Each structure stands twice: as C-alpha cells, then as structure tokens.
Amino acid sequence: ARCRAAAPASPPLPYMLASAFALSCAYVLPSPLPAPPASRAAAVRMEAGVPVATPMMPGQKTWMPKAEDRAMAAKKWYVVDAEGLRLGRMSSEIAKLLLGKHKPEFTPGADVGDCVVVINAEKCIVTGNKAKDKLYRRHSGRPGGMKTESYEELQRRIPERIVEKAIKGMLPHNSHGRELFRHLKVYKGSEHPHQAQAPEALQFGGLTSTPDSQVLDLTDPDALFCVEP
C-alpha cells in the first residue's frame, strides 16, 4: 500500500499576525515626535497703539464724500409750488436737486443731494395736446390686466403720480435712483406735513414758468370745405 506524504504543518495563527504587522510597519515612515506645548510667556502678541493702518492707495487724491456728507442731517429741504409750472422742465430741475448736481461736492453714485417737497401737484401744466394724447399705462400682472388712461384722467384721479413718474424717469434706473426717489415728497394741495424741516421755498424761472410764446393752431384749415356725410 502506498503511503501519502504528510502535509507540512501550517504556522500557528499568532505567528502569522505578528509577521503581517512587522511587514506593515516596515513601510511606514517614522513620524516626528509632537512638539511640546508652548508656554504662555513665549506667545507672540501684537503691539498696542497702532493709530491708523497703512493706506492701500497712498497716491489716491480724488475726494470722496464721507459719511457725514451723506447723512440726512446734512441735507437741505426745498419746497416747490407746481402751480403753473411745466411738467417736464420742473421735473428736470427737481431731479438735479435730488442728485446733488447743484453742489460742488457732487459725486456720481453718492447720495449727496437734498430733499424736495412738491405741492399743488394737480396744478402742473403740459403744453400742446399732451393733456389728451399723453397716456399712462399700468399692468396688474395678470393676462389682460393692462390699464391705460390719459393725462387728464390721471390728473383728476391721482395727480401726485404724474409728478412722481416724471421725476423718477430722470433719476438713475438702479438702487441709487430708488434711494434718491425716497427724498421726494409730492402732495396734492398747498399743505404738507414737513413744516418741522423748515423747507426753503424754491422758484424756477425761464421756460419752466414762462407761458408759451408761440401757441400752435391745431385746427384743420380744410374743415370748412369738408362735406359731412
């Protein structure tokens, strides 16, 4: 009978684990020892008493308005009587006051303008046939929600809106213009609730208040020769 050769005995399990751990540790770089904690006395501290930081642009010479120049306390208040004034010319002059273009420290994009109160908004005038031809549109946001009305209709209903829309269209169409528009107060009638600000009365001359020197005759010269059907 043939005898099978005895299989070599496998090494014990603890020996295998120890060999695997030794091989893995052979490929691990030795890590440096942790640094000892620094003492409180050796900590670096900032020196006290630095008055002003170094300017980022030392060669900058352009003047910019400071916070006190843009504060509400630095703004003047004006009151404008819109009775008999032309809408467009009056609005352009008021927009200059809101922007601050009448001041030597005017800076684009900076709120250096003044506050304006407009009274008698219902007595503002327009020339030509604008009272009938000029249209104001608004939309409710829903399909078919367009509403259109003429200058005369809106003046009878909300005359303040006419002046507000004219002046707002002459301001910057961004957040700066929306901030300037907050300094405009328009009222119907001769009374306003801003007596505590002691507004200064302001009058505009020139074509703003001068009546038309050349009145256009818009009648049809051939109307006399037309035969009615």
Side-chain angles (χ1 to χ4, degrees):
R2 294 182 179 180
C3 295
R4 294 183 178 181
S10 60
L13 182 61
Y15 177 77
M16 296 176 61
L17 294 177
S19 300
F21 178 75
L23 291 174
S24 62
C25 292
Y27 293 96
V28 176
L29 297 176
S31 60
L33 296 177
S39 61
R40 293 181 179 271
V44 179
R45 296 184 179 181
M46 295 181 63
E47 59 183 52
V50 178
V52 179
T54 304
M56 298 179 61
M57 301 178 64
Q60 178 72 18
K61 297 182 180 180
T62 303
W63 182 86
M64 292 296 292
K66 308 301 185 296
E68 55 270 15
D69 300 323
R70 294 180 276 107
M72 285 296 297
K75 297 183 181 298
K76 293 185 61 177
W77 284 72
Y78 297 97
V79 57
V80 177
D81 189 356
E83 182 177 1
L85 299 184
R86 301 186 189 183
L87 175 63
R89 296 183 180 274
M90 177 194 69
S91 301
S92 63
E93 296 296 331
I94 294 177
K96 294 177 185 177
L97 296 175
L98 296 176
L99 285 165
K101 286 192 173 183
H102 61 294
K103 295 182 177 181
E105 60 267 19
F106 167 71
T107 304
D111 185 9
V112 294
D114 294 326
C115 301
V116 181
V117 179
V118 181
I119 59 176
N120 292 325
E122 74 281 1
K123 300 179 181 180
C124 187
I125 63 174
V126 290
T127 58
N129 272 0
K130 299 185 185 71
K132 297 180 180 179
D133 298 342
K134 186 174 178 60
L135 301 178
Y136 292 88
R137 298 178 177 88
R138 67 184 189 278
H139 204 288
S140 63
R142 294 180 173 272
M146 175 73 76
K147 302 294 179 62
T148 305
E149 54 187 340
S150 65
Y151 176 91
E152 292 178 335
E153 296 172 346
L154 185 58
Q155 192 176 34
R156 288 193 297 266
R157 194 169 65 91
I158 311 176
E160 301 93 332
R161 185 171 297 177
I162 293 177
V163 179
E164 290 176 351
K165 289 179 69 67
I167 298 176
K168 188 174 183 179
M170 299 180 183
L171 296 176
H173 296 184
N174 48 26
S175 60
H176 177 53
R178 292 189 291 271
E179 179 67 22
L180 296 178
F181 183 71
R182 296 176 61 249
H183 303 154
L184 173 68
K185 313 295 180 181
V186 184
Y187 299 99
K188 177 182 178 181
S190 58
E191 300 295 331
H192 63 85
H194 303 284
Q195 299 293 343
Q197 282 72 28
E200 177 184 346
L202 192 63
Q203 297 181 354
F204 300 127
L207 295 177
T208 307
S209 56
T210 304
D212 289 341
S213 58
Q214 297 180 357
V215 180
L216 298 179
D217 187 8
L218 301 177
T219 59
D220 187 3
D222 298 331
L224 300 176
F225 303 101
C226 296
V227 180
E228 296 182 359

